[in-house]
């Protein structure tokens, strides 16, 4: 399990693969996480939903803290889909998260919260939903370590990839510094990953395409390689 809590702070090398535990069997969560980390996952992506910002409920800081205890060297990538992200930064920092992303749709000016996240010892990410124009986030991207482009409307795993999201990726990729990451989330699978990588993404989130696969290592290396699927 060669994992690196600083994966998102390290210089960009190969694309990072972030399995979303939303599609894991929650009754066997520890085992499932061990398997994906052993299979080459770079991050564990935690989808935090409050039943208000999105129409689903998932997990809270207690799950993050348990994963931290079980996997001390794993990089925990928290994706807050909540109406009041400021309320949850400290609880997730205390629970051992390494990274915290929140949505532009939940705030007016995201910069103060990026500062709070970094002051809490985590890297900060800004997320944009499919209906939100890219111009809404452009004035703020310099203040973040990572930009996350949603390629589904968040709430559930297993949805179809919204291809127009790649227009945002193509526009943002050349504008980011070499120390910033561009992540994509939703409907990423063996068919869509090559397009995501070609457009400029270097962190791929995948729930169904990893946890729904019979061979996690094959799924992860397939996503990373970006080889087009015939
Ligand atoms: C969107 C979540 C995603 C989602 C991805 O609701 O933020 O992380 O679980 O699921 P797949 O990879 O199945 O589209
Ligand atoms: Zn997510």
């Amino acid at each position: 399990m060669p994992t690196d809590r600083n994966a998102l702070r390290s210089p960009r090398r190969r694309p990072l693969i972030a399995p979303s535990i939303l599609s894991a069997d929650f009754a066997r969560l520890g085992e499932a996480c061990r398997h994906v980390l052993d299979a080459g996952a770079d991050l564990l992506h935690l989808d935090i939903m409050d039943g208000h910002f999105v129409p689903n409920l998932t997990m809270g800081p207690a799950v993050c803290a348990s994963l931290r205890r079980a996997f001390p060297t794993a990089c925990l990538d928290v994706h807050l889909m909540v109406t009041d992200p400021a309320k949850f930064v400290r609880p997730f920092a205390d629970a051992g998260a390494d990274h915290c992303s929140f949505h532009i749709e939940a705030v007016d000016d995201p910069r103060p919260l990026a500062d709070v996240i970094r002051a809490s010892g985590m890297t900060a990410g800004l997320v944009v939903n499919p209906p939100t124009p890219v111009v809404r986030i452009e004035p703020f991207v310099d203040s973040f370590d990572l930009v996350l482009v949603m390629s589904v409307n968040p709430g559930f795993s297993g949805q179809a990839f919204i291809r127009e999201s790649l227009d945002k990726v193509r526009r943002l990729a050349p504008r980011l510094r070499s120390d910033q990451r561009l992540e994509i989330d939703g409907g990423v699978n063996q068919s869509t990953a090559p397009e995501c990588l070609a457009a400029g993404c270097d962190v791929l989130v995948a729930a169904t395409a990893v946890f729904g696969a019979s061979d996690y290592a094959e799924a992860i290396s397939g996503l990373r390689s970006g080889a087009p699927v015939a």
Side-chain angles (χ1 to χ4, degrees):
M1 194 188 296
T3 47
D4 175 10
R5 284 190 69 172
N6 289 314
L8 290 172
R9 298 181 195 268
S10 310
R12 289 193 215 169
R13 293 182 310 263
R14 55 179 196 164
L16 301 177
I17 305 301
S20 161
I21 65 170
L22 190 54
S23 287
D25 178 351
F26 284 5
R28 293 194 168 87
L29 186 57
E31 200 183 311
C33 290
R34 182 168 303 283
H35 283 162
V36 287
L37 291 168
D38 283 343
D42 301 287
L43 317 171
L44 290 177
H45 184 85
L46 278 62
D47 283 311
I48 312 303
M49 304 187 187
D50 66 353
H52 188 263
F53 183 76
V54 288
N56 196 5
L57 281 170
T58 56
M59 63 197 84
V63 171
C64 185
S66 293
L67 292 175
R68 170 53 63 225
R69 280 192 293 275
F71 306 108
T73 61
C75 186
L76 302 180
D77 164 21
V78 167
H79 174 190
L80 293 178
M81 285 159 278
V82 302
T83 299
D84 187 358
K87 202 159 89 181
F88 293 99
V89 168
R90 175 47 60 189
F92 277 101
D94 291 345
D98 297 294
H99 174 86
C100 183
S101 290
F102 65 94
H103 278 252
I104 188 70
E105 296 83 8
V107 295
D108 291 326
D109 182 346
R111 288 170 290 197
L113 195 49
D115 292 340
V116 172
I117 290 171
R118 270 200 290 272
S120 308
M122 301 180 285
T123 45
L126 183 60
V127 195
V128 61
N129 273 339
T132 304
V134 71
V135 292
R136 173 75 177 92
I137 62 164
E138 277 176 334
F140 309 119
V141 294
D142 282 354
S143 304
F144 286 82
D145 303 290
L146 175 149
V147 176
L148 169 50
V149 172
M150 290 307 300
S151 40
V152 297
N153 288 304
F156 301 92
S157 55
Q159 302 183 74
F161 185 73
I162 298 174
R163 185 154 277 96
E164 292 71 28
S165 305
L166 292 176
D167 295 338
K168 283 181 190 150
V169 171
R170 286 188 203 97
R171 177 153 161 161
L172 290 166
R175 299 177 182 204
L176 296 183
R177 302 184 305 269
S178 62
D179 64 331
Q180 291 177 298
R181 295 273 182 174
L182 187 44
E183 186 175 39
I184 190 159
D185 184 1
V188 177
N189 57 35
Q190 306 296 332
S191 300
T192 56
E195 297 175 71
C196 297
L197 295 171
C201 294
D202 59 359
V203 186
L204 305 184
V205 177
T208 310
V210 173
F211 286 103
S214 52
D215 184 331
Y216 292 169
E218 193 176 87
I220 289 169
S221 62
L223 292 170
R224 200 191 317 274
S225 74
V229 172

